[in-house]
């Protein structure tokens, strides 16, 4: 497999497309007016503590207060004796706003969890706290936070409040053991306080490069601490650290052994990327090129067409089958259909081949559309257990390329697979679309016939409610008026006879199909 990155820059947004064997598999979009906040570190203020939810709302300067759950506060657990005032010990907490606030930790042998782990014994309203965004604000939900700060570099992730050394799950065998040993030596050598995680890019990287990364991350953490200390105490929130821009993050996070080329269509960003790559990813430096063609970069590689297709419900398969993808607030459902494909030797064989092909398309669509949360895959029912196992194995194999963490269940008797995919940012649909003003997000509108029947009922109500109007005027969308003037013309005439008043019909295309007015003269 070969990989190429296309970086498109415009005055209002930056876009990074990941092509695998020439096919678009992933797209990252960053609107300059609406930058994502995942990875950013803030000094925020606790607005409200909710013991019932074991959570707190934190003001970090966004339109909605951010959400911090007790499970994301491991670093704030105080070490208390049997009974003593609760004073947070972790430097992530700043008590300057209310230094005398204390909470009594009660001893009990029957209460679970221990009082020291309850959120009301860790946080109080008005307290300032160092937090990092792990999930962007999505719809009506505020950003998700953690106090377990992590700082990424090209090869490593530094956990200032962590204690362990972790290795990417994509690295295995002897290389995994080598990294664990070398990182352990480096931690001891530099007397590192905190934990480290080796990223996938660290595979086969010499110890000297890992050491450079550690010193870079330590310097970055010192800068974070310095900015935190310099923040005036009267400020409710402050951005302490902001992650790199999208083009530079792409170079840091997406470059791999298969990456053959990085193409950029903006000279200024091209220079910035080359400068960044020369220092942090020198292997890719000679493969970074500036695109100066007359045709738009994304048009040359059909990225724009693929993006339009990625917003459709229907995804056609080469065999003639197709997928139907529906996103809701709670989950995403993907339905597999045979369509026009009848090429198998039997019905079971046709179903098996369609499902097998669908696993490739599903894995691609999950990445391309950035679908996250709970996902239900409705494969066509297969009778043979071997076919079910092979379809599941194919799906698992295709998802190995996905950077997002996924969990997959077995194929049920109904052909359903339940899975989850980690969601940290908006899906492609959420980024590029908004609810339809006509249907209100339902995805459908009342038929013209239904609206005509509503109009007839409303005319009867108006005749009973108001005293003797001279005439009625119905104002509606042209499609509805056309139906009233043609197929429903006899019904309109009958209504005029029953009401004893003329009914005038006027079309107004400012009205959508469900809207109408009845005017009384």
């Amino acid at each position: 497999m070969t990989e190429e990155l296309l970086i498109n820059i415009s005055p209002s947004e930056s876009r990074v497309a990941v092509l695998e064997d020439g096919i678009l598999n992933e797209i990252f979009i960053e609107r300059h007016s609406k930058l994502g906040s995942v990875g950013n570190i803030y000094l925020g203020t606790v607005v409200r503590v909710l013991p019932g939810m074991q959570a707190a709302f934190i003001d970090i300067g966004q339109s909605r207060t951010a959400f911090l759950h007790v499970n994301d506060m491991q670093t704030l657990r105080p070490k208390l004796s049997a009974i003593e005032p609760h004073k947070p010990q972790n430097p992530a907490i700043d008590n300057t706003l209310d230094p005398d606030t204390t909470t009594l930790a009660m001893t009990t042998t029957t209460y679970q969890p221990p009082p020291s782990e309850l959120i009301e014994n860790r946080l109080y309203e008005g307290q300032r706290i160092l937090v990092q965004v792990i999930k962007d604000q999505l719809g009506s939900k505020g950003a998700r936070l953690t106090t377990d700060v992590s700082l990424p570099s090209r090869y490593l992730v530094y956990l200032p409040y962590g204690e362990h050394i972790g290795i990417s799950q994509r690295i295995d065998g002897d290389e995994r053991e080598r990294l664990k040993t070398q990182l352990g030596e480096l931690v001891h050598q530099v007397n590192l306080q905190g934990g480290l995680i080796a990223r996938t890019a660290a595979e086969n990287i010499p110890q000297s490069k890992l050491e450079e990364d550690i010193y870079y991350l330590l310097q970055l953490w010192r800068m974070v601490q310095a900015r935190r200390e310099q923040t005036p105490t009267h400020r409710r929130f402050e951005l302490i650290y902001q992650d790199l821009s999208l083009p530079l993050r792409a170079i840091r996070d997406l470059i791999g052994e298969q990456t053959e080329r990085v193409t950029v269509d903006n000279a200024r960003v091209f220079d910035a990327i080359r400068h960044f790559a020369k220092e942090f990813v020198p292997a890719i430096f000679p493969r970074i090129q500036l695109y100066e063609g007359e045709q738009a970069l994304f048009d040359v590689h059909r990225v724009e067409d693929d993006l339009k297709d990625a917003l459709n419900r229907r995804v056609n398969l080469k065999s003639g089958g197709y997928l139907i993808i529906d996103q809701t607030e709670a989950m995403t459902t993907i339905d597999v259909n045979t369509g026009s494909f009848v090429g198998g030797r039997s019905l079971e064989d046709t179903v098996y081949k369609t499902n097998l092909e669908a696993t490739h398309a599903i894995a691609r669509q999950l990445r391309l559309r950035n679908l996250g949360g709970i996902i239900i895959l409705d494969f066509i029912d297969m009778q043979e257990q071997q076919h079910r196992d092979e379809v599941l194995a194919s799906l698992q194999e295709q998802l190995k390329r996905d950077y997002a963490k996924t969990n997959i269940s077995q194929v049920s008797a109904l052909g359903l697979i339940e899975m989850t995919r980690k969601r940290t940012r908006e899906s492609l649909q959420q980024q590029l679309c908004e609810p339809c003003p006509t249907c209100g997000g339902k995805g459908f509108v009342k038929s013209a016939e239904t609206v005509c029947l509503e109009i007839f009922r409303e005319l009867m109500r108006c005749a009973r409610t108001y005293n003797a109007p001279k005439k009625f005027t119905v104002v509606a969308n042209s499609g509805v008026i056309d139906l009233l003037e043609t197929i429903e013309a006899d019904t309109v005439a009958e209504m005029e006879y029953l009401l004893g008043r003329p009914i005038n019909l006027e079309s107004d295309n400012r009205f959508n199909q469900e809207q109408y007015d009845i005017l009384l003269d």
Side-chain angles (χ1 to χ4, degrees), residues 34-321:
K34 188 183 176 183
L35 296 177
S37 58
V38 172
N40 289 356
I41 299 174
Y42 293 86
L43 186 60
T45 299
V46 179
V47 175
R48 191 178 178 191
V49 179
L50 303 174
M53 293 177 61
Q54 282 300 290
F57 288 105
I58 313 294
D59 182 5
I60 60 172
Q62 297 186 350
S63 58
R64 292 185 178 276
T65 52
F67 182 82
L68 176 64
H69 192 267
V70 71
N71 290 342
D72 296 314
M73 296 180 59
Q74 290 87 346
T75 62
L76 297 185
R77 288 177 181 165
K79 297 178 180 179
L80 303 180
S81 56
I83 300 180
E84 69 174 3
H86 172 137
K87 291 185 179 179
Q89 302 298 313
N90 193 284
I93 296 181
D94 183 352
N95 287 314
T96 52
L97 289 186
D98 194 356
D100 296 325
T101 300
T102 58
T103 304
L104 189 64
M106 298 179 293
T107 56
T108 174
T109 57
T110 59
Y111 190 81
Q112 295 293 334
S116 62
E117 295 188 4
L118 296 175
I119 198 165
E120 59 266 36
N121 290 336
R122 305 191 205 180
L123 298 178
Y124 57 85
E125 292 182 12
Q127 180 180 0
R128 293 204 307 179
I129 180 174
L130 195 71
V131 290
Q132 186 171 37
V133 178
I134 55 176
K135 185 182 292 186
D136 267 326
Q137 180 174 311
L138 298 174
S140 60
K141 298 178 181 178
R144 183 75 180 254
L145 303 177
T146 181
T147 59
D148 284 334
V149 173
S150 62
L151 295 171
S153 63
R154 171 60 181 160
Y155 306 118
L156 304 173
V157 177
Y158 176 45
L159 310 171
Y161 303 130
E163 298 177 350
H164 70 285
I165 294 175
I167 310 296
S168 168
Q169 292 182 354
R170 296 174 183 264
I171 301 176
D172 52 23
D174 294 339
E175 178 61 13
R176 187 178 188 88
E177 293 302 316
R178 179 192 75 87
L179 283 172
K180 199 162 189 176
T181 300
Q182 290 189 351
L183 288 179
E185 293 173 355
L186 289 172
V187 166
H188 180 73
Q189 177 182 323
V190 302
N191 193 24
L192 183 72
Q193 301 298 312
L196 286 173
I197 297 175
R199 309 182 71 179
T200 306
E203 190 170 11
N204 299 319
I205 296 301
Q207 185 170 346
S208 59
K209 291 292 184 182
L210 300 178
E211 185 176 2
E212 289 177 7
D213 253 22
I214 290 178
Y215 282 111
Y216 164 76
L217 290 169
L218 284 174
Q219 183 180 0
L220 193 60
W221 177 236
R222 292 189 190 103
M223 180 202 71
V224 169
Q225 291 177 304
R227 288 185 178 178
R228 176 187 176 280
E229 295 299 328
Q230 294 165 6
T231 301
T233 57
H234 65 273
R235 293 190 184 176
R236 291 184 60 80
F237 56 84
E238 185 75 13
L239 175 60
I240 301 296
Y241 165 79
Q242 186 170 20
D243 205 359
L244 299 171
S245 64
L246 176 60
L248 298 185
R249 289 203 309 273
I251 301 301
R252 182 190 69 190
D253 299 339
L254 302 179
I255 298 299
E257 292 182 358
Q258 298 88 4
T259 307
E260 290 191 341
R261 186 166 52 250
V262 176
T263 307
V264 191
D265 65 1
N266 180 281
R268 179 182 57 81
V269 175
F270 169 74
D271 290 337
I273 287 176
R274 279 168 58 88
H275 178 77
F276 179 84
K278 190 173 184 179
E279 182 174 358
F280 294 102
V281 199
I284 199 65
F285 181 82
R287 288 174 269 171
I288 302 173
Q289 63 182 32
L290 177 64
Y291 177 76
E292 299 178 296
E294 293 184 4
Q295 191 177 3
L297 176 62
F298 274 22
D299 287 340
V300 172
H301 295 269
R302 291 197 72 257
V303 173
E304 297 291 4
D305 292 338
D306 287 342
L307 275 177
K308 291 177 184 177
D309 292 341
L311 297 176
N312 295 331
R313 290 181 67 229
R314 177 167 172 151
V315 178
N316 292 321
L317 305 177
K318 291 181 180 180
S319 64

Side-chain angles (χ1 to χ4, degrees), residues 317-321 341 352-362:
L317 305 177
K318 291 181 180 180
S319 64
F341 178 55
Y352 166 65
K353 289 182 178 178
T354 303
N355 284 340
L356 208 57
E357 183 184 9
T359 61
H360 295 255
I362 288 171

